[in-house]
Amino acid sequence: MTTAILSALADEQRGLIEQLKSPVKMLRAGREFWCGELYGHPVVLALSKIGKVAAATTATTLIEAFKAQRIVFTGVAGGIGPGVRVGDVVVATEFLQHDMDASPLFPRFEVPLYGRTLFPCDAHLSALLLEAAHASCTSPEGLFNVHNAEANLAVHSGPMASGDRFVSGAQESLALQSALLSQGLVPLAVEMEGAAVAQVCLDYGIAFAAVRTISDRADDQAHVDFPRFVQEVASVYALAIVNKLMQMLPKK
Ligand code: ADE
């Protein structure tokens, strides 16, 4: 069973290619795909670039051309849930598109003709990913204290919201949260790809799971926090969690 490891940016995936056994680079849809083996599992590593369309293109290529049978997304996100702080880790349970609005034809945030607002992650794969995230956080090496040695960093599990917009203002973030809340939606984090991959995976019947490290609070400081975090910390988290997950996945 081929597992795809997908991130938006090279900074979120640095180090993984070097660990691949028998690496082969292939080009498709203007992207590099690295095929090989990790801990005895066939894998394909890919970078989606940023945004929902780029993510959907990459996910579709992974499934159609590289025969990926499950997709794991690793990257960073802006924390909007209460108590979701910079340096925390969030494993997604489901995704919504916060910029989807075909009202008044359909309720705001509902994806037309799918009859749904929330796109689920695979429960089993997500449970393993959550376990991998916990194990990495509590490792004796204290890997997750890379970012802040004093902080008691938390691993969360819950809904995430994706949209083609970097949320970088406290007011904007609050307005978005209140619009979502009015529909009963309380995502823990915002990012720009996950919901698209979740939708493609639902279309194809492929298992999907996603883990995001919180790089910023989607507030007035987000544009400063984000690049620093992505360059310095993001790949350390992704590498540790993916390594743990690959060791936990059953071989078949
Ligand atoms: N990814 C990381 N931080 C983000 C933010 N504030 N908005 C959207 N995507 C993000």
Side-chain angles (χ1 to χ4, degrees):
M1 160 167 313
T2 299
T3 304
I5 314 288
L6 181 58
S7 302
L9 304 168
D11 278 326
E12 294 169 320
Q13 206 179 70
R14 214 176 324 110
L16 259 192
I17 294 172
E18 288 73 18
Q19 292 194 10
L20 268 191
K21 282 227 176 92
S22 319
V24 177
K25 181 171 86 172
M26 296 172 81
L27 298 176
R28 276 278 173 131
R31 289 154 171 79
E32 289 180 2
F33 294 83
W34 284 89
C35 303
E37 247 184 49
L38 277 179
Y39 298 95
H41 296 281
V43 296
V44 50
L45 310 180
L47 300 177
S48 64
K49 306 180 185 176
I50 294 174
K52 299 199 306 294
V53 173
T57 301
T58 315
T60 305
T61 307
L62 281 167
I63 296 165
E64 290 280 5
F66 293 92
K67 307 301 170 207
Q69 284 147 303
R70 55 186 169 214
I71 298 182
V72 177
F73 202 109
T74 67
V76 299
I80 59 169
V84 180
R85 299 172 306 163
V86 171
D88 284 359
V89 172
V90 180
V91 174
T93 51
E94 55 203 345
F95 280 91
L96 63 94
Q97 296 182 33
H98 68 68
D99 54 356
M100 174 57 77
D101 188 356
S103 62
L105 301 177
F106 297 89
R108 189 173 172 191
F109 306 121
E110 181 175 312
V111 179
L113 309 186
Y114 280 73
R116 59 164 74 231
T117 299
L118 292 163
F119 286 73
C121 295
D122 180 77
H124 179 62
L125 189 57
S126 301
L128 285 177
L129 191 56
L130 186 61
E131 207 179 317
H134 273 296
S136 309
C137 278
T138 55
S139 72
E141 307 89 59
L143 179 65
F144 285 80
N145 293 339
V146 165
H147 180 59
N148 183 347
E150 302 308 316
N152 196 6
L153 302 174
V155 179
H156 310 265
S157 169
M160 284 196 208
S162 312
D164 288 328
R165 179 162 185 86
F166 184 78
V167 182
S168 60
Q171 252 186 340
E172 178 191 347
S173 175
L174 286 173
L176 180 59
Q177 286 176 64
S178 112
L180 288 165
L181 187 60
S182 72
Q183 304 291 320
L185 302 164
V186 188
L188 299 183
V190 284
E191 41 83 289
M192 302 177 72
E193 295 84 21
V197 181
Q199 187 173 339
V200 170
C201 287
L202 184 82
D203 286 343
Y204 280 93
I206 296 284
F208 175 55
V211 59
R212 297 269 187 172
T213 311
I214 300 304
S215 57
D216 57 79
R217 279 286 305 170
D219 56 11
D220 299 336
Q221 186 66 20
H223 64 291
V224 181
D225 294 339
F226 171 81
R228 198 165 48 205
F229 193 94
V230 167
Q231 277 157 27
E232 293 169 13
V233 190
S235 67
V236 181
Y237 282 72
L239 200 57
I241 296 170
V242 169
N243 275 330
K244 204 54 111 190
L245 176 71
M246 296 316 293
Q247 291 170 61
M248 288 165 50
L249 281 177
K251 293 212 173 80
K252 48 177 163 142

